[in-house]
Amino acid sequence: MQKSWIAVASAEHVRIGRSNGFMQVCHGKGGPLRRISPGDHVAYYSPVETFGGKDRLQAITAIGVVKPGAPYQADMGGGFRPFRRDVAWSDAAEVPIRPLLGSLAFTRDNPNWGYQLRLGLFEIEAQDMELIRHVAMAQRPLLLI
């Protein structure tokens, strides 16, 4: 049975993963990625624009489906070998999370909803993922031909 997940990273890092078809969480740790299975849905929440920055964003910055295959390590140089998973990213808009707070099960009636984001990856209800997908897909730019 497929699951739905929220991953957390700066928008800058999410955009790199989107453009290269992968996800990476928790500073490259493999354990969290092993909890995810092919076919699972993932949405990224970006609290900030840049890693370590104070430039608050608080937006959903990517949604997609995990591709077949296990987590793997990539060589970033300097001895940094983060674990990644391949993801089929959707063509969706980045959307602020604030308008959704009253509708998502993991934020509704929870003034401390941001606390769980510190985990870097956590499971959410399928209905939450559908709402996120609906809003992000509805706001994506239309291609005019």
Side-chain angles (χ1 to χ4, degrees), residues 65-139:
V65 177
V66 178
K67 290 182 175 181
Y72 59 90
Q73 283 186 287
D75 188 353
M76 299 285 296
F80 183 47
R81 294 182 40 88
F83 282 88
R84 296 178 173 169
R85 280 204 91 126
D86 289 335
V87 177
W89 295 112
S90 298
D91 181 23
E94 295 181 4
V95 294
I97 197 168
R98 286 246 173 243
L100 302 175
L101 294 181
S103 301
L104 297 168
F106 75 94
T107 60
R108 184 177 41 240
D109 301 323
N110 183 358
N112 298 317
W113 65 269
Y115 183 77
Q116 61 199 332
L117 299 173
R118 294 174 183 231
L119 300 172
L121 180 73
F122 61 95
E123 190 175 353
I124 62 171
E125 294 181 12
Q127 295 87 346
D128 282 357
M129 184 59 72
E130 284 307 310
L131 176 60
I132 291 167
R133 180 180 310 286
H134 175 75
V135 171
M137 296 299 280
Q139 294 185 26

Side-chain angles (χ1 to χ4, degrees), residues 10-69:
S10 71
E12 163 187 56
H13 286 173
V14 173
R15 291 179 193 127
I16 292 168
R18 276 185 71 170
S19 66
N20 291 290
F22 69 85
M23 70 177 294
Q24 184 175 306
V25 295
C26 304
H27 305 290
K29 293 180 182 167
L33 290 179
R34 286 189 272 282
R35 295 173 36 213
I36 299 174
S37 299
D40 283 358
H41 295 265
V42 63
Y44 260 104
Y45 169 78
S46 297
V48 294
E49 185 70 40
T50 57
F51 178 69
K54 301 280 186 209
D55 45 359
R56 185 183 292 198
L57 182 61
Q58 294 185 319
I60 301 295
T61 50
I63 56 173
V65 177
V66 178
K67 290 182 175 181

Side-chain angles (χ1 to χ4, degrees), residues 91-93 136-145:
D91 181 23
M137 296 299 280
Q139 294 185 26
R140 70 182 173 181
L142 298 176
L143 298 176
L144 299 176
I145 299 175

